[in-house]
Amino acid sequence: MRGAVIHAPGDVRFETLDDPKILHPTDAIIRTAATCVCGSDLWPYRGLEPIGDPHPMGHEYVGFVEELGSEVTSVKPGQFVVGSFATSDNTCANCRNGFQSSCLHREFMSTCQADYVRIPNAQGTLVATDETPDERIWPGLLAVSDVMGTGWWAADAAEVKPGSSAAVVGDGAVGLCAVIAAKETGAERIIAMSRHEPRQKLALEFGATDIVTERGDEGAARVKDLTGGIGADSVLECVGTAQAMQQALRAARPGGNVGFVGVPHEVAVDGQELFFSHVGLRGGPAPVRRYLPDLIGRVLTGRIDPGKVFDLTLPLEQVTEGYQVMDERRAIKALLTP
C-alpha cells in the first residue's frame, strides 16, 4: 500500500509501505475512504516536536471494514465505519466513566494517511453507519473522528449551557468545530477569536455572533467588553500555545470555565492567578468515542456540517502538498482521498 511518512521537519514523503495485518484478535483492517492532515500534525512538521526515526503519519479516518480479528463482532466486513484518534475497548472503568481517550488499553492512531489502516481495539472504537453514506457526507463524518469530537469536548469541558456566553480561542478546524459545538449546546453569545477573514466567515456561518481579532491581554479585554465587563461563561481553548492558554484564562469570568483541547506546548499556568480567578480548568485528549453516535447522527441528518472545515481536497498521493498548504495557512484543513 501507499502512505505518508515523515522523515524530518518539512519532509513528508508518500511511500510504499507494508500492508497492515491483524496482529491481535481485537484488531480490524479498514480500507481508507478519506483521511486528512491535522493541525497537530504540523507540530512535528514544523520541528516543534521530536520526530526520531521516519514513521507514518495521520490519526483521522473513515473507511470500509476489510478484515476483522476473531474477537471483533460489533462491525462487519464491508461496513462504513468512523473511529477515533484514540482507540478504546469501551468497557474498562475509564471508558464507562466517559473518558475513552484514557482507556486502560488505549492506543493513539498514527498511520491513517494511507490506503489501509489497522485499528486496535476495534470492538470498542469503530462505529458503523446503517448503510454507506453519500460521499458528500464523508468529510463531515471524517471531521467527527477528531476535530468535531474535539470541538465538542471543548464545549463539554467548558460547561457551555443554554443561554450562556462562550469564547473560542483558535480559528483552526478544532476552533471552528468548537463554534458548532457551542451553538449546538445552547450558547447564546459565541465569540470567535480570529484574524483570518475566510475563517471568520466560516465561524459566523457556524454560529458565532461576534469576531474578536485582538490577541493576548487585548483579546481578553475585548471579550470582557462584550460580556458586561466580566468575561465569558465558557472559554474553549483550541490552540495549545502559552499565549492561547493565558488568553483563555483571562477571558473567562470569575466562576467561569475553560476547556482546553489544544495539545499544550510550553504552557505553564500561574497557580496564584488561577487561584484568585475562580476559573475552572479542564481538558485533555478528547473522549471522541463518547460522542460518536450522537455526532454521526447530527451529520447524517444534516443538522451540522463540520465537513466545511475542509477547504482543500487532494488525492492521497499529494499529501506532501497538503502539509505545505496547511503550514502556510493557505488552507484550514486538507482532505485526502485514496
Side-chain angles (χ1 to χ4, degrees):
M1 71 168 189
R2 308 163 304 161
V5 176
I6 189 167
H7 288 257
D11 185 6
V12 171
R13 308 175 194 175
F14 191 63
E15 301 180 350
T16 299
L17 303 170
D18 292 336
D19 290 342
K21 294 179 171 57
I22 298 289
L23 301 180
H24 306 288
T26 50
D27 289 348
I29 305 297
I30 67 167
R31 174 172 55 87
T32 305
T35 183
C36 56
V37 180
C38 183
S40 60
D41 292 331
L42 298 180
W43 292 107
Y45 184 80
R46 291 170 172 167
L48 299 174
E49 282 183 1
I51 293 172
D53 294 333
H55 58 81
M57 291 289 286
H59 54 266
E60 295 158 282
Y61 57 97
V62 292
F64 296 91
V65 177
E66 288 280 308
E67 187 179 354
L68 296 171
S70 60
E71 294 182 14
V72 182
T73 60
S74 59
V75 296
K76 299 176 182 179
Q79 284 187 307
F80 186 94
V81 291
V82 185
S84 166
F85 66 87
T87 72
S88 57
D89 58 28
N90 212 27
T91 60
C92 78
N94 289 338
C95 288
R96 293 196 305 272
N97 284 329
F99 285 86
Q100 290 92 334
S101 49
S102 283
C103 175
L104 296 175
H105 300 102
R106 174 190 67 193
E107 293 186 41
F108 286 114
M109 296 301 299
S110 60
T111 64
C112 298
Q113 291 164 5
D115 291 319
Y116 294 88
V117 184
R118 181 180 72 89
I119 312 293
N121 298 309
Q123 177 81 5
T125 300
L126 297 177
V127 176
T129 56
D130 291 336
E131 54 189 35
T132 300
D134 189 291
E135 288 189 29
R136 292 174 295 178
I137 300 177
W138 291 5
L141 295 171
L142 177 61
V144 165
S145 77
D146 182 2
V147 291
M148 186 64 243
T150 298
W152 199 273
W153 165 231
D156 195 356
E159 299 186 16
V160 175
K161 294 179 173 62
S164 66
S165 59
V168 178
V169 180
D171 64 358
V174 171
L176 291 167
C177 287
V179 171
I180 296 176
K183 177 71 172 179
E184 288 290 293
T185 49
E188 187 173 281
R189 186 160 211 171
I190 302 171
I191 303 164
M193 311 190 83
S194 172
R195 292 180 169 180
H196 195 275
E197 186 175 350
R199 301 181 188 212
Q200 293 171 0
K201 290 180 179 179
L202 192 52
L204 292 169
E205 182 179 342
F206 283 164
T209 57
D210 302 271
I211 300 293
V212 167
T213 58
E214 295 87 350
R215 291 183 179 176
D217 286 343
E218 289 184 358
R222 182 65 182 138
V223 171
K224 289 182 177 179
D225 288 343
L226 293 169
T227 54
I230 61 169
D233 298 315
S234 301
V235 182
L236 290 61
E237 193 282 296
C238 303
V239 182
T241 63
Q243 183 190 58
M245 176 65 84
Q246 185 180 76
Q247 179 172 307
L249 288 169
R250 293 179 180 177
R253 66 166 174 82
N257 294 283
V258 171
F260 69 105
V261 301
V263 179
H265 287 75
E266 299 182 354
V267 172
V269 176
D270 185 298
Q272 285 280 332
E273 182 175 351
L274 183 63
F275 181 78
F276 285 102
S277 72
H278 281 128
V279 170
L281 183 61
R282 169 172 283 169
V288 169
R289 180 60 181 82
R290 187 204 305 180
Y291 309 122
L292 274 184
D294 178 40
L295 294 179
I296 289 171
R298 291 174 192 251
V299 170
L300 290 177
T301 60
R303 182 180 176 98
I304 62 174
D305 187 8
K308 290 182 178 179
V309 299
F310 295 104
D311 54 349
L312 175 66
T313 299
L314 296 170
L316 181 59
E317 63 192 27
Q318 293 181 25
V319 61
T320 298
E321 182 181 345
Y323 275 84
Q324 292 170 346
V325 171
M326 284 186 60
D327 180 46
E328 296 165 3
R329 286 180 66 86
R330 290 187 284 123
I332 300 170
K333 197 164 178 67
L335 178 74
L336 304 169
T337 56

